Amino acid sequence: MADDVRWWQRAVIYEVCTPVFQDDSGDGLGDLPGILRRLEYLQWLGVEAIWLTPFHPSPMTDLGYDIVDHTAVAPHAGTLDDFTRLVDEAHRRKLRVILDLVPNHTSDQHPWFAESCRSKDSEKRRWYVWADPAPGGGPPNNWQSDLGGSAWVWHEASGQYYYHAFARDQPDLNWREPAVREAMFDVMRFWLDRGVDGFRVDVLWHLAKDVRLRDNPPNPDFNPSSDSPCQEILQVYSADQPDVHDIVADLRHVIDEYEDRLLIGEVYLPVSDLVRYYGTQRSEVHLPFNFQLVQAKWDAPHVRRVIDEYEASVAANEWPNWVLGNHDQPRVASRIGKAQARVAAMMLLTLRGTPTLYYGDEIGMQNTDIPREKMRDERARSCDGKGIGRDPFRAPMDWEQVAAQREDPASMLSLHRQLIALRRRSPALVTGEYRSVDTRGPVLAYVRSLGEQAFLIALNLNDLPRRLELPPDIGPGVVEISTRDPRDRRATGSTIELGADEGLVIRLERPPAARVSTMTPAR
Ligand code: GLC
């Protein structure tokens, strides 16, 4: 593979949800020694990078995204020495380690917030977003929290409101305060010095808020029967502000003080806004997470449009990426069903761009029923309106299923392993160009090619068998991987018979005519 291809362009990233991945201490929460013990599995699976969700001291009201000390390891998760051992062992196994960076807010138990609350004159008052009541009384503006209801909490003792974009016990930091920036840059350096290979930055597009705190406008498309209450207002002034890009460029600057590290941003925005987080004036994140497949209606014409529009929006010196699931979203196998989840896995691992795989999706884990009294996510009690929250997507990793599926060549796990292995040894599947094949109906097809190597990927997004007629420039090939039958090696010609819910990766004898593939190194 070409030397100018960076590790994060080749790697499959695997999200480890730290509190539920492997609990070795037996206290009910996952820990770093547990993850260390499971590195053998991750290496066997073939992923090359792991992203660990937060493991810092925290009251754990938001899965650890409510941090009280960004440069420590929570007692339940282990020690800093455990962390060092984990990074060393991961690196020995050629696995990169990416940490979650949560710079937008802290827990309200954080000493910074305690100091900030002391009085209006506190030296850390400006570290958080404080504001006086509106002229007629009440919250400073109409901003809503992500969990529903006003995003402002009255603090009687110091006589102002503080702002929280998420839960009320997660006050937002004020990134306009230079000391906050410096403190968070030091957090990054603390972990970078300990060998981490990069960060996934939590809610990146929230970091800057309108200085004038203007009211957000109502959402004209709001539908009370299907939308959650927090969608009633558009986040025009509370997120994605023009100057957030200066902050992101500064974060990137810190990353670039070190060699070959990666910056990923969690950004839920339409593609045209999302791609601006690659940076227009200065470099920003290497990968703004692309959640299009998580949100897409699962039918072939729609998914094709999503992919093609995204492909067209990512510039030549930017690198695409794809996500199918994460700890905030219903499991893919529950969204689209078990059979289609296999097809989706084939898509994730053959599209152009870095794939991120959510733990457990490789064994087809589904949303789990959690009794109400065991639910930990505050959303179960608030804005999502349906009262389920995110616990069903965060069940403990099912290691028994892993053991059973490791032995079964037809399992979801074996399919993932096969796809990842093929990707690793096939430059066309990593840096090769993407070309969508014009098909009608429920089959989605595309070609990935580089030089003489070419694959046709044909995905039946439907539960009825289908015949696919190929354009004349796509010649014969041989099936490399089928989602239905691990032994399938049939030869293919100008028409392809796809079984119900079948996806095929077909190695073409030669690339389709006259496509010159060029690749600009990603910046
Ligand atoms: C991100 C996390 C989510 C968390 C939120 C607030 O969206 O992925 O789990 O609740 O940030 O930190």
Side-chain angles (χ1 to χ4, degrees):
M1 223 163 276
D3 285 346
D4 53 7
V5 179
R6 311 276 301 271
W7 64 266
W8 45 267
Q9 296 178 277
R10 280 192 320 262
V12 174
I13 300 173
Y14 183 99
E15 178 184 351
V16 171
C17 193
T18 306
V20 289
F21 194 62
Q22 174 63 53
D23 171 19
D24 266 16
S25 66
D27 64 357
L29 286 170
D31 44 48
L32 302 179
I35 297 172
L36 184 134
R37 190 156 65 78
R38 296 300 187 180
L39 291 178
E40 176 275 329
Y41 164 69
L42 297 166
Q43 187 184 23
W44 171 87
L45 178 59
V47 300
E48 287 170 277
I50 53 174
W51 148 33
L52 309 182
T53 68
F55 48 78
H56 312 296
S58 158
M60 297 297 286
T61 61
D62 183 21
L63 201 76
Y65 286 92
D66 45 333
I67 295 175
V68 299
D69 183 351
H70 290 78
T71 54
V73 176
H76 72 253
T79 63
L80 210 46
D81 282 345
D82 291 331
F83 179 78
T84 304
R85 270 191 288 277
L86 173 60
V87 172
D88 289 348
E89 181 59 16
H91 286 168
R92 205 182 62 75
R93 292 178 181 273
K94 306 266 184 293
L95 286 160
R96 307 278 180 154
V97 180
I98 300 164
L99 298 196
D100 231 302
L101 180 73
V102 188
N104 180 68
H105 44 264
T106 66
S107 160
D108 63 354
Q109 308 294 304
H110 198 296
W112 296 345
F113 189 63
E115 168 58 37
S116 191
C117 282
R118 229 173 21 85
S119 82
K120 283 186 191 163
D121 303 323
S122 156
E123 44 132 355
K124 290 205 167 44
R125 188 64 167 184
R126 279 187 47 80
W127 281 44
Y128 291 84
V129 183
W130 293 95
D132 291 331
N141 63 23
N142 71 349
W143 294 0
Q144 301 277 301
S145 93
D146 204 48
L147 282 77
S150 172
W152 296 94
V153 173
W154 175 246
H155 188 250
E156 183 64 36
S158 66
Q160 277 187 314
Y161 284 88
Y162 73 84
Y163 172 69
H164 61 94
F166 295 89
R168 59 182 287 137
D169 57 5
Q170 289 168 304
D172 276 47
L173 284 162
N174 173 19
W175 272 77
R176 296 187 191 284
E177 169 57 42
V180 166
R181 297 186 185 211
E182 284 310 319
M184 208 48 83
F185 298 159
D186 284 346
V187 168
M188 295 169 77
R189 293 186 187 108
F190 177 89
W191 295 109
L192 290 164
D193 286 340
R194 279 159 184 77
V196 312
D197 297 286
F199 296 100
R200 169 269 190 191
V201 187
D202 194 58
V203 298
L204 185 65
W205 82 113
H206 272 270
L207 291 184
K209 302 77 166 98
D210 180 42
V211 235
R212 288 159 56 200
L213 302 180
R214 279 170 282 184
D215 271 351
N216 278 328
N219 176 1
D221 301 323
F222 178 65
N223 179 347
S225 55
S226 58
D227 295 341
S228 66
C230 46
Q231 287 169 290
E232 200 170 343
I233 280 175
L234 294 175
Q235 295 187 334
V236 170
Y237 295 111
S238 50
D240 193 33
Q241 297 304 288
D243 52 346
V244 72
H245 294 283
D246 297 331
I247 299 175
V248 186
D250 287 350
L251 294 173
R252 172 64 179 269
H253 195 74
V254 176
I255 282 284
D256 287 344
E257 291 169 10
Y258 295 76
E259 213 179 312
D260 214 16
R261 313 293 166 103
L262 168 67
L263 196 62
I264 304 176
E266 183 199 26
V267 181
Y268 281 93
L269 287 175
V271 170
S272 53
D273 299 319
L274 176 72
V275 294
R276 291 180 29 239
Y277 285 76
Y278 284 111
T280 47
Q281 314 295 323
R282 294 163 64 198
S283 293
E284 298 182 26
V285 295
H286 298 100
L287 304 174
F289 261 153
N290 164 22
F291 300 116
Q292 311 297 310
L293 291 182
V294 176
Q295 295 155 338
K297 183 163 85 112
W298 204 248
D299 74 52
H302 179 75
V303 175
R304 165 172 310 106
R305 208 169 326 117
V306 163
I307 298 171
D308 290 353
E309 280 173 12
Y310 178 71
E311 272 282 344
S313 308
V314 175
N317 63 347
E318 299 165 352
W319 186 247
N321 77 91
W322 297 96
V323 177
L324 256 189
N326 63 33
H327 60 278
D328 295 323
Q329 306 291 342
R331 289 270 180 192
V332 59
S334 294
R335 296 199 310 265
I336 62 178
K338 284 206 157 199
Q340 278 299 316
R342 297 174 75 99
V343 176
M346 185 170 271
M347 186 186 301
L348 175 74
L349 294 165
T350 56
L351 282 172
R352 192 177 74 93
T354 303
T356 299
L357 184 59
Y358 183 44
Y359 88 93
D361 280 355
E362 78 276 24
I363 51 171
M365 277 174 71
Q366 292 184 293
N367 296 344
T368 316
D369 286 334
I370 310 270
R372 186 150 281 277
E373 63 282 4
K374 291 233 169 99
M375 288 184 180
R376 296 185 197 176
D377 184 19
E378 281 208 42
R379 266 166 227 234
R381 290 175 284 278
S382 58
C383 126
D384 99 338
K386 297 163 207 91
I388 50 169
R390 295 167 293 182
D391 299 275
F393 338 138
R394 302 168 171 181
M397 177 64 171
D398 190 339
W399 293 108
E400 279 177 24
Q401 264 203 63
V402 169
Q405 292 195 24
R406 257 176 111 140
E407 307 305 318
D408 174 5
S411 68
M412 180 70 154
L413 181 57
S414 297
L415 174 67
H416 274 82
R417 186 159 182 260
Q418 230 186 329
L419 285 163
I420 294 171
L422 179 66
R423 188 186 160 90
R424 284 179 69 154
R425 59 174 192 266
S426 309
L429 290 178
V430 179
T431 52
E433 68 167 13
Y434 160 90
R435 174 191 153 190
S436 148
V437 176
D438 200 7
T439 56
R440 308 252 172 273
V443 176
L444 177 75
Y446 48 90
V447 171
R448 299 291 316 282
S449 63
L450 183 71
E452 284 309 298
Q453 190 178 64
F455 294 93
L456 169 71
I457 292 93
L459 308 169
N460 183 359
L461 270 60
N462 193 280
D463 58 1
L464 294 172
R466 289 281 161 172
R467 168 172 303 155
L468 174 65
E469 308 281 351
L470 291 169
D473 65 329
I474 299 183
V478 173
V479 169
E480 279 273 344
I481 302 180
S482 157
T483 56
R484 279 168 60 107
D485 178 358
R487 289 155 316 183
D488 189 349
R489 293 290 175 276
R490 82 190 105 131
T492 60
S494 57
T495 55
I496 294 172
E497 305 292 339
L498 286 155
D501 301 305
E502 183 166 48
L504 295 175
V505 180
I506 295 164
R507 184 186 292 274
L508 296 174
E509 273 175 20
R510 52 187 168 274
R515 304 287 301 191
V516 183
S517 130
T518 49
M519 214 213 75
T520 320
R523 54 181 170 161

